[in-house]
Amino acid sequence: MALALRCLRPLPSLLHRSSFAMTRGLPQAPRGCPALLLEGCRQCVQQMLLSRQLATKKAKGKGQSQAKVNISAALVEDIINLEETSEDMQAVIEALKEDFSRNLSVRTSPGALDHITVVTKDGKFPLNQLGQISQKSPQLMIVNMTSFPESTAAAAKAIRESGMNLNPEVDGTVIRVPIPKVTREHRESLAKLAKQSTNKSKEALRKVRSKSITQVKKFKSKVSEDTIWLLEKQIQQMADQAATEMDKLLAAKTKELLG
């Protein structure tokens, strides 16, 4: 009995610092606590912390902001890898940044054509693997397809359908790509493409979120309802933060494009 009381004595202070415990993991029981009792203490603390979070949520009145959930990844690593979920969401954001940088610029440069995907009978290839891209003048780029002449037409089509407002002209194995003047219409077209790219990225983000929540729900019969709810809430918060970052990227890019 003395050992049990000794183990339970720290609980009030632990609950008082619940947010700290949730982010830093559960503390060890006092020295001398038997192994069986130690596990019981830790499970009790964990359940009480999770229940406290849920109770806080339910106590909120309509229209009031809810406290953010911040679960230690170590506490739930047997259910889901939250760090991996975060990395997957960040990868979607980075892909959007790369798309903005590479494909959505007011000024067209040879590098902007590098990764245009060309569909050939042998598969899909980046344009810079099939042809040599150079800038003849500020108003003209050249794509030399001498190494893969059979892919010239496919390369021209890929450039035309890239969404970069380019109208290539084929001359044998050479593709001439006139660079259009930067008109207001062109700027607005690029801004629309930026919005479309952002929407596609948000769809990819939703897939990451749904996949993670589905993984959590597989443990409904093994862990408490409170635990499931908190994990779903945490994943939704992560997705919301990623979506907010995408909106900021879009706003900055739109401002850049429209001038």
Side-chain angles (χ1 to χ4, degrees), residues 2 24 27 37 62 68 72 109 111 121 123 133 173 186 230:
R24 296 295 297 273
L37 189 55
K62 185 176 181 181
K68 288 187 177 181
S72 170
S109 64
K121 62 180 182 180
I133 306 171
T173 58
H186 180 49
L230 285 169

Side-chain angles (χ1 to χ4, degrees), residues 92-113:
V92 176
I93 295 173
E94 293 303 319
L96 180 62
K97 288 180 180 179
E98 186 176 358
D99 182 44
F100 280 179
S101 175
R102 179 185 300 164
N103 301 322
L104 297 174
S105 176
V106 173
R107 299 187 180 279
T108 305
S109 64
L113 303 183

